[in-house]
Amino acid sequence: VQLQASGGGLVQTGGSLRLSCVASGRTFNVMGWFRQAPGKEREFVAAITRNINPVYADSVKGRFTISRDNTKNTVDLQMNTLKPEDTAVYYCAVTSTALIMRSQRFYDYWGQGTLVTVSS
């Protein structure tokens, strides 16, 4: 299984970015995104089940939208109204759990990470 993430970059406060991740090898019930800011632990951002039930961290609710295409085995993260505190390396991850888990220890495979920098 391989996960390939893309779409990171530099954006000003209030701007938007869209991250994409494609999984190869097999399908998973849950596809999600985590992020790790400098000096901080990796944290849950959002995840979505195969049946298109999303869950968001409170810090991004209303600003980020997660979506997936089951036919292409991809998961996207549309990030709007970005803030400097959203600056982090963003990782896509997948798991076969029946429910969406916010803890990273439940996720089986991880992408390489893509850097998002929001300037103030």
Side-chain angles (χ1 to χ4, degrees), residues 49-110:
T49 64
R50 182 179 288 119
N51 292 331
I52 317 299
N53 292 316
V55 173
Y56 297 94
D58 288 343
S59 59
V60 306
K61 200 173 295 183
R63 300 188 297 122
F64 291 10
T65 302
I66 190 170
S67 60
R68 68 184 282 173
D69 185 331
N70 291 330
T71 64
K72 298 179 180 178
N73 214 14
T74 59
V75 59
D76 290 352
L77 186 69
Q78 177 65 42
M79 305 184 295
N80 298 329
T81 319
L82 283 161
K83 306 175 181 179
E85 51 263 45
D86 295 317
T87 295
V89 177
Y90 283 71
Y91 299 89
C92 58
V94 294
T95 176
S96 297
T97 56
L99 301 176
I100 289 177
M101 312 303 284
R102 295 173 183 257
S103 173
Q104 58 178 317
R105 64 186 180 94
F106 289 99
Y107 288 76
D108 303 308
Y109 298 95
W110 294 81

Side-chain angles (χ1 to χ4, degrees), residues 8-50:
L10 173 65
V11 65
Q12 292 185 335
T13 296
S16 299
L17 280 176
R18 187 177 184 88
L19 306 182
S20 296
C21 178
V22 56
S24 60
R26 54 166 288 195
T27 60
F28 294 85
N29 183 49
V30 176
M31 305 182 79
W33 291 92
F34 287 74
R35 67 186 181 186
Q36 187 167 19
K40 295 187 176 181
E41 294 186 354
R42 192 176 299 184
E43 65 176 2
F44 174 82
V45 175
I48 188 168
T49 64
R50 182 179 288 119

